[in-house]
Amino acid sequence: MRKMLAAVSRVLSGVAQKPASRVLVASRSFANDATFEIKKCDLHRLEEGPPVTTVLTREDGLRYYRMMQTVRRMELKADQLYKQKIIRGFCHLCDGQEACCVGLEAGINPTDHLITAYRAHGFTFTRGLSVREILAELTGRRGGCAKGKGGSMHMYAKNFYGGNGIVGAQGQIFEAYNMAALWKLPCIFICENNRYGMGTSVERAAASTDYYKRGDFIPGLRVDGMDILCVREATRFAAAYCRSGKGPILMELQTYRYHGHSMSDPGVSYRTREEIQEVRSKSDPIMLLKDRMVNSNLASVEELKEIDVEVRKEIEDAAQFATADPEPPLEELGHHIYSSDPPFEVRGANQWIKFKSIS
Amino acid sequence: MGPPLQPNQCGSRLGAPPSLPAECGGVACKPGLRVGMAVAAAIACRLLRLRAAGAGGHWRRLRGAGLPRGFLQPASAGEDAAQWRRVAHFTFQPDPEPLEYGQTQKMNLFQAVTSALDNSLAKDPTAVIFGEDVAFGGVFRCTVGLRDKYGKDRVFNTPLCEQGIVGFGIGIAVTGATAIAEIQFADYIFPAFDQIVNEAAKYRYRSGDLFNCGSLTIRAPWGCVGHGAVYHSQSPEAFFAHCPGIKVVVPRSPFQAKGLLLSCIEDKNPCIFFEPKILYRAAVEQVPVEPYNIPLSQAEVIQEGSDVTLVAWGTQVHVIREVASMAQEKLGVSCEVIDLRTIIPWDVDTVCKSVIKTGRLLVSHEAPLTGGFASEISSTVQSEAKLEKETGSSDSWLICGPLTR
């Protein structure tokens, strides 16, 4: 029965009778959920880890797909805008790492707090900001989430503390590990291991590449960061661990970024194009989710294609807005340096032009 | 004229300017000083010298334009060695009892700080104090009794990691709590410099006012103490003066300290509060028991005068007060003494107004001369203040402290 319906729908969509095919698709019954096996996580100082099977509902699956596709298209649009010089400054893209941000968000509550480094566009989106606000921030316009003054590395939202340009060097991380473990703070430390620190491969930069073990006295997990379900389960496990009062935990997500470190890095001087292609064809997170969903009848290819189209449109609209929105006025340059009442004068690069530090 | 000028070898060989161990107190002078000021300071210095050395001063006396240079020529090496006093000397000058804030109590500087912290923790349920060794009361006894009174969740020790202390403080402040961090000595603040300058100072700006760590206050003992040497004597205010987004405050007395510290804690910007450690016990005053605020970014004219403006902060305020009274007594020079109080953002108007009135400026601080905050004051005054008395020269004197070389 199902096969017949599928055949009929194929014929009809071939005739491009869109409304008719949509009706057909809607009447096709999908599974409500499916169970999948996921890779077992390597453990450090833990007796047991996250489960090796998980249930994905159709609704969740579609939502994750849409979110990952949005992040992917948003990053590619940012790449395009950067090359057109509409986005300037620094831009660190996270395409390839969508499973990390979407999977993480799936495993925590919106009331949990998240802070990250500069590869933050994906997290900014999953934490609740719209693509419009993100792209407008990248182009430095008023409609941006930090009013156009923060840029790529300084995006903030409720319960999302950025987006930070300066990141913890090793010393700072270890001090943080110590304090978190000493006071049993419910904190998940996450390392998105995309195999390269800027242009240096982890093998050449780290005495030990088992990052999940480097918390030493803090337990750790190594997670397949290209599989969104694996990330989700690991996050749920880690969150439960922290919430039970046992203290901090570390998660290393093994992932990959397709772009270079930033837009000024072509990304091929320290790795081969073949390597990038291989990851793209074998472990692309969106492709993996799509295959899973289609093969277990959680969604159809057409349905997912429709989502693709909708996402593309959303991104286009956002890019339009981001390009057309006016820049913040020059007076805002001095705002929020201090919180001061009455505001006082700040001198800019030109000593005869003063701005008011209104806040 | 006289032998070439030797910087950093004036006055304090006498053991004065006070508060500093002998071999210190550089005077940086440029040729072509305004004669009036030169004379005043020269005589002041010389008098201090005489006072220490006894009646038969060994300074050469030169007349005329060579006077400043000649005066600044130190006595030859062997002669006065015995006369050099290597003991810190200054006299804390308490202010009169404040009557407008209710009942007062005799407190020294660390007790005034404890009182301010006590008031803060009582008023603000989100306030927490943390740092190395604060739980038992702190190495300078500034937090004595607070852990017993407010509990171990509000007054607690951190591991030995200044970067972590300030980073942690920024985090707490961003979530809305009032964070009062203690760095055990200002000399140790440098590992936290990145956190202060790159994170704390810029948090509000870079997030477009969505987040801020304004409720962070960092306290640190500051300045010379006589026996502190390299790592227990530093005055790092100039390093932080270069950073918009934070406020830096230095009190001169217990009454000032409590009011300024309470203002820092309540201020919506991250503040660094430097406490002159030599005054912790030496400064005793009547201080109100109830909380009160002294506004930030307002300098105080402690003593009005008409001939020269003397600016200082922290311990040096007492030094220049003494200098001012000596100058008045012996030379009839009327000095206007200003305590800057807030280093950044500093009160340009008060200082400029004063210099316009007197026509002469002398800034004194303990920190090294080059790049010290006096250079900022001096250059700003010279560019901003429209001097009515044009004396043809735009030099100013910077007298600086022990680590000046």
Side-chain angles (χ1 to χ4, degrees):
Chain A
M1 180 59 179
R2 231 180 260 150
K3 279 191 187 155
M4 194 166 72
L5 276 173
V8 173
S9 95
R10 266 201 301 277
V11 165
L12 282 176
S13 53
V15 181
Q17 281 178 26
K18 276 256 161 88
S21 74
R22 234 183 245 142
V23 167
L24 265 173
V25 165
S27 73
R28 168 178 162 173
S29 58
F30 293 107
N32 247 340
D33 54 50
T35 309
F36 297 103
E37 276 185 20
I38 51 180
K39 207 155 102 176
K40 187 170 181 328
C41 296
D42 294 324
L43 303 174
H44 169 69
R45 285 189 190 264
L46 282 168
E47 294 296 313
E48 39 171 65
V52 294
T53 59
T54 181
V55 173
L56 175 67
T57 65
R58 177 176 141 80
E59 194 189 323
D60 279 345
L62 289 173
R63 195 176 71 241
Y64 300 157
Y65 183 84
R66 181 184 288 269
M67 284 173 88
M68 287 207 287
Q69 194 66 277
T70 309
V71 174
R72 171 71 58 92
R73 293 254 76 90
M74 180 176 73
E75 295 297 79
L76 293 178
K77 177 56 71 176
D79 170 89
Q80 191 186 18
L81 290 173
Y82 195 94
K83 289 179 175 144
Q84 293 173 330
K85 293 205 187 331
I86 298 173
I87 296 179
R88 320 289 301 270
F90 296 108
C91 197
H92 305 84
L93 301 175
C94 67
D95 53 320
Q97 298 183 203
E98 296 85 3
C100 295
C101 48
V102 179
L104 223 99
E105 189 63 32
I108 56 174
N109 304 331
T111 49
D112 292 327
H113 306 262
L114 199 148
I115 185 170
T116 184
Y118 45 78
R119 206 173 298 285
H121 305 163
F123 288 105
T124 316
F125 175 71
T126 55
R127 281 265 100 184
L129 284 186
S130 68
V131 182
R132 287 183 100 186
E133 287 173 293
I134 296 174
L135 285 180
E137 185 58 40
L138 286 174
T139 54
R141 307 301 163 95
R142 267 180 237 205
C145 49
K147 306 191 175 82
K149 295 197 293 185
S152 167
M153 295 188 283
H154 302 116
M155 297 186 182
Y156 301 82
K158 189 164 187 312
N159 292 330
F160 175 55
Y161 302 91
N164 290 283
I166 305 279
V167 294
Q170 291 189 72
Q172 295 180 344
I173 298 267
F174 289 115
E175 285 193 3
Y177 285 165
N178 185 39
M179 289 167 119
L182 187 64
W183 296 327
K184 291 211 163 17
L185 303 178
C187 182
I188 309 177
F189 291 97
I190 299 168
C191 173
E192 288 176 275
N193 182 0
N194 55 22
R195 302 197 217 164
Y196 297 94
M198 288 228 287
T200 310
S201 71
V202 293
E203 292 81 27
R204 292 197 296 134
S208 157
T209 54
D210 291 333
Y211 291 102
Y212 71 110
K213 288 188 185 161
R214 289 183 69 172
D216 189 16
F217 37 80
I218 297 184
L221 304 169
R222 181 154 55 190
V223 181
D224 178 4
M226 299 306 254
D227 176 0
I228 187 179
L229 297 178
C230 202
V231 176
R232 183 182 74 169
E233 285 312 309
T235 310
R236 279 185 182 159
F237 173 84
Y241 181 93
C242 286
R243 286 190 228 279
S244 66
K246 296 199 191 108
I249 189 170
L250 223 110
M251 260 180 23
E252 179 190 341
L253 306 177
Q254 292 188 302
T255 182
Y256 199 81
R257 55 167 162 79
Y258 298 141
H259 270 88
H261 162 73
S262 69
M263 288 306 299
S264 46
D265 170 22
V268 287
S269 47
Y270 48 85
R271 55 185 187 173
T272 59
R273 284 188 209 274
E274 288 77 44
E275 182 189 292
I276 306 174
Q277 254 321 101
E278 195 189 335
V279 176
R280 227 188 247 280
S281 53
K282 295 224 182 81
S283 338
D284 183 272
I286 299 178
M287 181 191 77
L288 287 179
L289 180 65
K290 178 170 162 188
D291 288 344
R292 271 192 166 139
M293 287 182 67
V294 167
N295 292 341
S296 27
N297 197 32
L298 287 175
S300 70
V301 176
E302 291 80 18
E303 193 176 8
L304 297 180
K305 274 214 174 70
E306 254 185 57
I307 295 181
D308 287 349
V309 168
E310 280 166 21
V311 165
R312 255 184 234 262
K313 180 152 190 323
E314 187 189 343
I315 304 289
E316 263 318 310
D317 287 343
Q320 268 296 96
F321 171 74
T323 316
D325 203 35
E327 285 180 351
L330 196 59
E331 297 81 59
E332 278 206 32
L333 200 64
H335 287 188
H336 306 309
I337 297 176
Y338 282 98
S339 167
S340 184
D341 186 21
F344 58 84
E345 288 194 326
V346 183
R347 197 183 59 192
N350 180 332
Q351 70 186 95
W352 291 287
I353 299 178
K354 299 229 165 103
F355 302 105
K356 277 198 166 6
S357 174
I358 295 176
S359 184
Chain B
M1 274 299 172
L5 195 58
Q6 301 288 323
N8 309 335
Q9 280 177 334
C10 164
S12 330
R13 290 201 183 245
L14 333 161
S19 96
L20 315 165
E23 244 157 20
C24 57
V27 178
C29 308
K30 293 177 196 150
L33 285 162
R34 290 183 210 136
V35 173
M37 185 157 91
V39 169
I43 297 174
C45 274
R46 184 201 290 152
L47 281 169
L48 296 168
R49 168 72 173 115
L50 285 174
R51 190 180 133 192
H58 295 267
W59 293 104
R60 274 175 251 168
R61 280 163 217 191
L62 290 176
R63 305 226 175 348
L67 179 61
R69 290 192 196 175
F71 154 71
L72 292 168
Q73 168 74 19
S76 51
E79 274 181 42
D80 286 342
Q83 305 289 357
W84 298 2
R85 290 196 309 178
R86 293 175 185 277
V87 176
H89 155 84
F90 74 100
T91 313
F92 170 69
Q93 318 218 358
D95 287 323
E97 177 179 353
L99 300 166
E100 63 268 43
Y101 299 112
Q103 191 204 357
T104 66
Q105 196 184 317
K106 191 159 96 163
M107 294 189 209
N108 60 27
L109 186 68
F110 74 72
Q111 289 165 339
V113 169
T114 315
S115 173
L117 296 174
D118 192 357
N119 290 147
S120 280
L121 290 172
K123 220 172 16 167
D124 179 354
T126 70
V128 287
I129 301 177
F130 51 93
E132 292 157 25
D133 303 318
V134 297
F136 81 87
V139 289
F140 290 108
R141 326 245 289 155
C142 293
T143 49
V144 167
L146 295 177
R147 186 174 166 105
D148 292 333
K149 191 165 172 189
Y150 294 101
K152 60 182 173 57
D153 284 338
R154 298 186 67 191
V155 180
F156 52 91
N157 286 341
T158 60
L160 216 165
C161 50
E162 283 70 26
Q163 187 177 240
I165 291 172
V166 174
F168 174 77
I170 294 171
I172 297 189
V174 169
T175 66
T178 300
I180 307 168
E182 178 180 299
I183 300 289
Q184 200 159 77
F185 282 90
D187 312 52
Y188 309 156
I189 204 166
F190 299 107
F193 197 74
D194 173 55
Q195 288 292 315
I196 295 170
V197 166
N198 279 326
E199 305 292 326
K202 297 168 169 69
Y203 221 110
R204 187 188 292 276
Y205 186 81
R206 75 183 182 202
S207 69
D209 203 19
L210 194 57
F211 291 111
N212 68 81
C213 56
S215 54
L216 172 66
T217 304
I218 302 168
R219 297 176 33 243
W222 168 100
C224 283
V225 71
H227 54 276
V230 226
Y231 296 119
H232 294 74
S233 314
Q234 288 179 47
S235 312
E237 69 274 7
F239 292 104
F240 296 100
H242 197 53
C243 176
I246 53 172
K247 296 194 176 181
V248 178
V249 178
V250 188
R252 69 167 185 275
S253 73
F255 171 73
Q256 293 289 318
K258 178 168 168 173
L260 289 168
L261 180 55
L262 283 168
S263 294
C264 284
I265 293 172
E266 287 159 26
D267 191 274
K268 294 192 171 55
N269 297 287
C271 295
I272 305 181
F273 187 76
F274 286 127
E275 302 163 358
K277 61 177 84 69
I278 199 174
L279 296 180
Y280 273 140
R281 286 180 194 271
V284 183
E285 252 181 351
Q286 292 292 123
V287 179
V289 173
E290 290 301 307
Y292 60 97
N293 291 86
I294 295 181
L296 301 183
S297 296
Q298 269 189 35
E300 188 181 351
V301 178
I302 303 178
Q303 183 185 303
E304 303 227 0
S306 55
D307 293 330
V308 58
T309 300
L310 309 179
V311 177
W313 50 90
T315 319
Q316 273 300 85
V317 174
H318 306 291
V319 172
I320 61 166
R321 265 170 131 168
E322 204 173 325
V323 166
S325 67
M326 282 179 165
Q328 178 69 71
E329 205 186 297
K330 317 274 183 180
L331 309 169
V333 170
S334 155
C335 303
E336 178 142 303
V337 177
I338 298 184
D339 176 6
L340 197 63
R341 300 202 293 200
T342 301
I343 305 297
I344 49 153
W346 65 284
D347 189 354
V348 182
D349 287 341
T350 302
V351 176
C352 284
K353 228 188 294 213
S354 171
V355 178
I356 290 172
K357 185 170 78 171
T358 63
R360 299 169 189 87
L361 172 67
L362 186 150
V363 186
S364 178
H365 63 60
E366 290 181 18
L369 173 62
T370 307
F373 198 62
S375 49
E376 172 67 29
I377 297 177
S378 149
S379 68
T380 304
V381 165
Q382 286 176 66
S383 75
E384 299 282 325
K386 309 281 183 288
L387 292 175
E388 283 161 18
K389 301 182 200 175
E390 277 294 342
T391 51
S393 164
S394 60
D395 292 314
S396 49
W397 281 48
L398 310 174
I399 300 190
C400 301
L403 299 178
T404 312
R405 285 288 178 261

